[in-house]
Amino acid sequence: VAPTVQRGIFAFGYNASAYVSMSNLVGSNGVIGTDVTGVGTDRGYMAAASYGGDKAIFGFGTTGSRTGVTNLVNNSGVVASDTSAVGTAKADLSATGYGVGLAIFAFGNDGSMSNTRNLVNSSGVVASDASGAGTATQRKGAARYGTGTAIIAFGENGGKTNSKNLVSNTGVIASDATGGGTALTSHMAAQYGTGTAIFAFGQNAAGNMVGTSNLVNSSGAIASDVSAVGTARNFIAATNYGGDKAIFAYGTTNNSSAISTSNLVNSSGVVQSDVTGVGQTRWGLAASGYSYSA
């Protein structure tokens, strides 16, 4: 049986006045640690994913100008300095693990909405741009589900959408498929349980923040909306932790002020009520699981 990721990391983001690069580690008990001095270029609106089984990669984003740099995270949660860009500079993209120890960056905005992809090997090396599939879209959530497969869904492509794109265990993105739940943007996702995932929070077509969630089964089907529990917000980040649980944290309730509130998700996919925030309030950050050690 493959080991499971026990810890998580939130990093980078925008604190309503400036981009930052600090990080916050998440223990196997779901407790978020205090700010860790930042490494790498201050930026926001990037994406992150696990790779190599127990490590993580943060990539792309904007400093005010889009960038393609990446930062690797080792299995102790230490963020490395910038690695030069390989793919086209872009922001508002998605990332997830897939296969065995592999990751993928996809979709986003490189000056216009994009559906290109960049595969990441088990050593954390990012490949050059490859043709994608599906409608060019930004601000989609992404997570693993099933065995070696992943899902990228929701987002905006001129309007809010709930369509989904499944990712095979070889990193091939399928064409658009009908999703489930209300069309939303910045509806972030994380793996939980065994072969299942959850999307939660975001902003609807009327511009209102939501706290609803949508579960994803082991076949990649997205369920209908589940009533909100936590504070409605968007530009949130999410990661798995503790082997079979997830956490959503940070974000903005009104696109002008940041919060650091978090919400745990148990192994049954139930979102818990708000937990008082820790660390720098910010939005537009990213998160990933790392470490096999609790």
Side-chain angles (χ1 to χ4, degrees), residues 72-172:
L72 300 182
V73 181
N74 69 17
N75 58 12
S76 297
V78 177
V79 181
S81 54
D82 294 346
T83 298
S84 300
V86 174
T88 300
K90 56 187 172 182
D92 293 313
L93 70 162
S94 306
T96 178
Y98 76 93
V100 179
L102 307 174
I104 182 173
F105 291 95
F107 297 96
N109 192 314
D110 59 10
S112 60
M113 293 187 202
S114 168
N115 66 352
T116 58
R117 62 190 170 114
N118 300 86
L119 301 182
V120 182
N121 70 17
S122 59
S123 298
V125 177
V126 181
S128 55
D129 296 346
S131 298
T135 302
T137 308
Q138 65 180 4
R139 299 175 180 171
K140 297 168 76 77
R144 282 181 175 269
Y145 80 93
T147 303
T149 47
I151 183 171
I152 306 174
F154 297 92
E156 58 185 87
N157 52 24
K160 309 299 189 292
T161 179
N162 66 350
S163 66
K164 65 179 182 180
N165 301 88
L166 301 182
V167 182
S168 75
N169 61 6
T170 58
V172 176

Side-chain angles (χ1 to χ4, degrees), residues 14-112:
Y14 183 72
N15 66 7
S17 62
Y19 292 105
V20 299
S21 61
M22 84 258 305
S23 61
N24 301 83
L25 302 183
V26 182
S28 58
N29 57 358
V31 175
I32 298 176
T34 56
D35 295 341
V36 176
T37 302
V39 173
T41 300
D42 297 349
R43 63 195 193 276
Y45 304 102
M46 79 288 290
S50 297
Y51 81 91
D54 62 349
K55 294 171 280 292
I57 182 171
F58 287 76
F60 302 88
T62 180
T63 62
S65 299
R66 285 176 288 271
T67 179
V69 300
T70 58
N71 301 86
L72 300 182
V73 181
N74 69 17
N75 58 12
S76 297
V78 177
V79 181
S81 54
D82 294 346
T83 298
S84 300
V86 174
T88 300
K90 56 187 172 182
D92 293 313
L93 70 162
S94 306
T96 178
Y98 76 93
V100 179
L102 307 174
I104 182 173
F105 291 95
F107 297 96
N109 192 314
D110 59 10
S112 60

Side-chain angles (χ1 to χ4, degrees), residues 191-193 196 198 215 241 244-247 263-272:
Q191 183 181 3
Y192 81 92
T196 48
I198 181 172
L215 300 183
Y241 80 93
D244 59 358
K245 294 173 277 292
I247 181 172
N263 300 86
L264 301 181
V265 180
N266 68 19
S267 59
S268 299
V270 178
V271 181
Q272 310 296 305

Side-chain angles (χ1 to χ4, degrees), residues 10 26 30 32 141-143 186-192 197-202 210-216 230-231 233-241 245-251 259-266 269-277 285 287:
F10 291 89
V26 182
I32 298 176
S186 306
H187 195 41
M188 294 296 101
Q191 183 181 3
Y192 81 92
I198 181 172
F199 288 84
F201 301 93
V210 302
T212 53
S213 60
N214 301 85
L215 300 183
V216 180
T231 298
R233 57 202 192 273
N234 73 342
F235 293 125
I236 195 170
T239 180
N240 55 317
Y241 80 93
K245 294 173 277 292
I247 181 172
F248 291 79
Y250 302 92
I259 64 174
S260 57
T261 302
S262 63
N263 300 86
L264 301 181
V265 180
N266 68 19
V270 178
V271 181
Q272 310 296 305
S273 55
D274 292 346
V275 175
T276 302
L285 68 167

